[in-house]
Amino acid sequence: MSGISLLPVAVSAGSSENSVCFSGPVRTDGPDGLEFRMLTLNCWGLKYVSKLREPRMRFIANELGTSDADIIALQECWVATDYEYLRHRTHKQYPYAKYFYSGILAGSGLVILSRFPIESISMTPYTINGRPSAFFRGDWYVGKGIASAIIRHPSGIAIEVFNTHMHAPYGPGDASYVCHRTSQAWQLARQIRAAVERGHLAIAVGDFNSRPDSLTYALLTKRAGLQDSWTTVHGTSTEHILPASLSPEKQITTLGVTCDSLLNTWRADRDISEAKRLDYCFHAPHLSTVDSVEVTFIDKVPGLNVSVSDHFGVSVTLRILSTARSKLASGREQAEEGARPPNLPLANYESILDVIASYLPTARAQQYYRLLHFWMSIVLVVGLHVGIFWVKSGWPAFLIVLGSTVIAVTGVIDGMLGFLFGRNELRALKEFEEEVRWEMRRMEDLLNGSYEDVGSVGKPR
């Protein structure tokens, strides 16, 4: 796979290039602006782990080849051959595409396909994203982050799409990784606000691994200033409905459930109360509205009788407001919106600080015990090497050498994790905490009238 080309080129049907040429229908003006359609889907495409990966990924590629979406954001497209087949099936419909590289293993798994020209791309890894010691989970190794693309709409408006796949929760307590996702949402919200200040129409899509009542959701809707497309159409009156009180079908149409639905064959063993909405399309409400939103990729793969993925997709028809188009094209409206302070309640800042404070002991303990193991391993290895002088040759000597080797290797690994990763994580957490406290003080000053807002910076009155 190659990186994206930003010059128009012709692409043959068998090419695996991140192609760049333009074709396909252009939306016409509606009564209030221009429509464009977004689609997001977590493909569940991890090699060796995801069941029936290849036929499912091929089915997804074939379906996307006939999709009416204008921009598609995919997550967990981790295998090169899957992406190559995807481009083979979609290069005519979506001549602009980018596979985003990151991490040590597999890659970010993030893909953006577009009918419209992609002018600029970037991949920003999350600063706090799991631990390398949790190799059986893999989040740290795939380098999860924010894939962004500036896409030029035929009207001339720049749409900046942020595609992400946040750290997964694996259980209660430390395994929930709430602090990691909160940090990731903080980082994403900062990038979204920067896009707004640049005069772009910001759209954030993907698998956020967070429910609507989470801090992640609050940061995107209040700090970043975006709105959940589902609530734009359905309102917030459904937020207090318990999933267990609805049928699996109603959970989808009423609550927008995308994960752990009993209608998903890969999650059929879950309790009906576990159904949740984790996949979203957030949009800028002062510049766009939502004509329709629906959960997609619910049907099973023909011939296999299994769900397309362990997540359902989300399809959204957005409309750029006619009142905002002229200002948006010049960047004035977005710049004015980006200059406004975040609308995050002070209670949310306190909650974020509480999350950091609750995770810090875990991070410190991880570093402490790994360094303790490292220093103890040095003592043990030296002791075993000295002790071998009192052991006759044969199996006892072999076992001592083998044992010392294992202790040395594991000690060095834990030493590197403690010295390198441990320090890096603690400093990233400290930086995260200081950014939150800094912004919180600014908001307190604004509320008290002792701070004059002058755009993205401020000064005392």
Side-chain angles (χ1 to χ4, degrees), residues 348-358 433 436-437 440:
N348 286 147
Y349 289 103
E350 294 285 1
S351 297
I352 295 171
L353 293 174
D354 289 342
V355 167
I356 297 172
S358 65
E433 180 184 6
V436 174
R437 291 190 183 279
M440 182 179 176

Side-chain angles (χ1 to χ4, degrees), residues 25 45 53 66 104 155 210 237 257 278 289 335 355 382 397 408 412 443 454:
R53 190 206 84 248
T66 59
I104 300 171
S155 65
S210 305
S237 60
V257 162
L278 303 180
T289 188
V355 167
V382 171
V412 168
M443 296 306 297
V454 289

